[in-house]
Amino acid sequence: MLSKEKVLANTKEAGILLDRGVSGIQDEEREESMSSKERLMVIRQHIQNVKKVSVAELSRQCSVTEETIRRDLDKLELEGVVTRIHGGAIWNADVQKENVHFYKRLTKHLREKQDIARKTAALLEDKNTIIADSSTTVVEALKLIPDNRDVTIVTNSTEVFREFQQSSFHIISTGGEFNKKSLSLQGQLAKTNISKYNVSLALISCKSVNIEKGVLDSNESEAEIKKLMLEQAEEVALLVDHSKFDQTAFVCLTDLKSVNYIITDRRPGDIWIQYCEENSIRLIY
């Protein structure tokens, strides 16, 4: 029979071995996690440099299975930096970062936005109740509404109040938490107030449009506001310049079949022409 001292010694030794085993597993998990992060960084940098890659190519370069690479590419697609294609991925050249200030965004594709605004003006002629997001393109469109019109605009944009402080429009604020960079109002108060109003038209812009994935945005807080705006409108007009077609972004706002009008600055590809015709979307370009 083992003495009490030997039992205690054996128990202590087993405990040390167990601790070492757990520690080893944790170290392996930590190393695997670190290598995964490093691999994603390497893949992202490589795709940015060469613009288009295959799963097989990345698998060889990173010495991991093709299934692992597919999961990595799926993660990068969720971030909006790549678009998955059959057998690989392509770099999204116009990746749009979150939290870019309103006035900086305004200068990007400004001529295209003004062109879209002019094309939107005709659509607004018989609309007396409008809900408008805080995007730069939508603000440009609102500027072209004649001041003598009897129009009510519900918006979460604070720039609209600065722009139209001398106008005769009836402007209703959603209220909410002020985002200094997007010049918009967000949060629960804004969402609650939006649900009070029913309007004839929603004017919405976004980060990207994709036939398979729908209307997409990168800022989740802003996307929640836009989703509610879509629900409160009889019709939806999507204002997007040519750079946003066939791209991807983090959050899905709605599917394209919920959109009544797509207004852009130039003719999109034939596949878009056909899609809009088949789904009764009026494409204005």
Side-chain angles (χ1 to χ4, degrees):
M1 186 173 178
L2 291 173
S3 66
K4 183 177 180 181
E5 289 78 7
K6 288 183 177 180
V7 171
L8 289 173
N10 290 340
T11 303
K12 184 176 181 181
E13 184 178 355
I16 292 171
L17 291 172
L18 180 61
D19 288 343
R20 286 177 179 172
V22 171
S23 177
I25 292 172
Q26 289 175 338
D27 288 342
E28 288 176 6
E29 290 176 346
R30 192 177 298 113
E31 288 176 7
E32 182 179 350
S33 175
M34 287 177 64
S35 66
S36 174
K37 291 178 182 178
E38 291 170 355
R39 188 174 64 250
L40 280 171
M41 189 183 307
V42 169
I43 292 172
R44 177 174 179 151
Q45 186 64 50
H46 181 64
I47 300 176
Q48 186 175 4
N49 290 336
V50 302
K51 308 307 178 189
K52 182 179 180 179
V53 293
S54 70
V55 170
E57 173 192 349
L58 291 174
S59 175
R60 288 192 300 271
Q61 289 183 354
C62 299
S63 299
V64 294
T65 66
E66 292 189 1
E67 183 58 35
T68 298
I69 292 297
R70 290 189 188 95
R71 288 196 296 267
D72 289 342
L73 292 178
D74 288 342
K75 291 176 184 177
L76 292 176
E77 185 175 47
L78 282 175
E79 293 178 16
V81 298
V82 303
T83 296
R84 295 282 276 112
I85 59 174
H86 181 69
I90 57 175
W91 178 255
N92 286 341
D94 291 319
V95 173
Q96 308 228 17
K97 296 180 180 179
E98 293 185 28
N99 297 323
V100 177
H101 196 279
F102 179 93
Y103 293 124
K104 187 173 181 179
R105 286 187 287 116
L106 181 62
T107 60
K108 186 173 183 178
H109 298 298
L110 180 56
R111 288 184 180 179
E112 290 87 344
K113 291 173 183 178
Q114 292 171 338
D115 183 34
I116 292 169
R118 286 189 290 271
K119 293 168 182 174
T120 306
L123 180 63
L124 300 179
E125 288 179 358
D126 61 344
K127 309 297 183 184
N128 293 324
T129 53
I130 299 168
I131 196 162
D133 73 11
S134 59
S135 65
T136 54
T137 309
V138 167
V139 172
E140 287 299 309
L142 294 176
K143 289 179 183 179
L144 298 185
I145 300 177
D147 191 47
N148 60 358
R149 285 273 309 280
D150 180 17
V151 177
T152 297
I153 301 172
V154 181
T155 185
N156 71 320
S157 168
T158 59
E159 177 66 8
V160 166
F161 297 104
R162 188 196 68 79
E163 187 68 40
F164 298 108
Q165 56 185 315
Q166 303 297 327
S167 77
S168 60
F169 300 154
H170 183 206
I171 302 176
I172 299 175
S173 169
T174 63
E177 183 179 348
F178 179 49
N179 185 315
K180 295 178 181 179
K181 289 192 174 180
S182 63
L183 301 185
S184 67
L185 300 168
Q186 302 171 351
Q188 187 56 51
L189 179 60
K191 290 189 283 187
T192 299
N193 286 334
I194 287 170
S195 64
K196 296 177 182 178
Y197 302 102
N198 298 304
V199 299
S200 56
L201 182 69
L203 287 181
I204 302 290
S205 189
C206 63
K207 288 294 182 290
S208 62
V209 284
N210 187 295
I211 286 178
E212 293 182 357
K213 299 178 182 179
V215 183
L216 304 155
D217 219 330
S218 62
N219 186 303
E220 192 164 9
S221 297
E222 199 69 34
E224 290 178 1
I225 297 295
K226 293 182 183 183
K227 285 180 181 180
L228 284 173
M229 289 180 169
L230 298 176
E231 293 175 5
Q232 299 306 115
E234 294 175 10
E235 292 185 314
V236 174
L238 185 64
L239 281 54
V240 285
D241 68 63
H242 67 275
S243 69
K244 296 180 178 180
F245 283 83
D246 301 313
Q247 301 297 321
T248 188
F250 184 58
V251 185
C252 180
L253 292 177
T254 185
D255 60 65
L256 282 166
K257 293 180 182 178
S258 301
V259 175
N260 303 97
Y261 308 92
I262 295 178
I263 308 172
T264 187
D265 57 300
R266 66 175 70 166
R267 185 186 189 279
D270 290 341
I271 190 172
W272 279 96
I273 302 294
Q274 181 181 350
Y275 180 87
C276 290
E277 289 177 353
E278 292 176 351
N279 292 277
S280 302
I281 300 171
R282 185 180 169 192
L283 183 60
I284 303 172
Y285 56 88

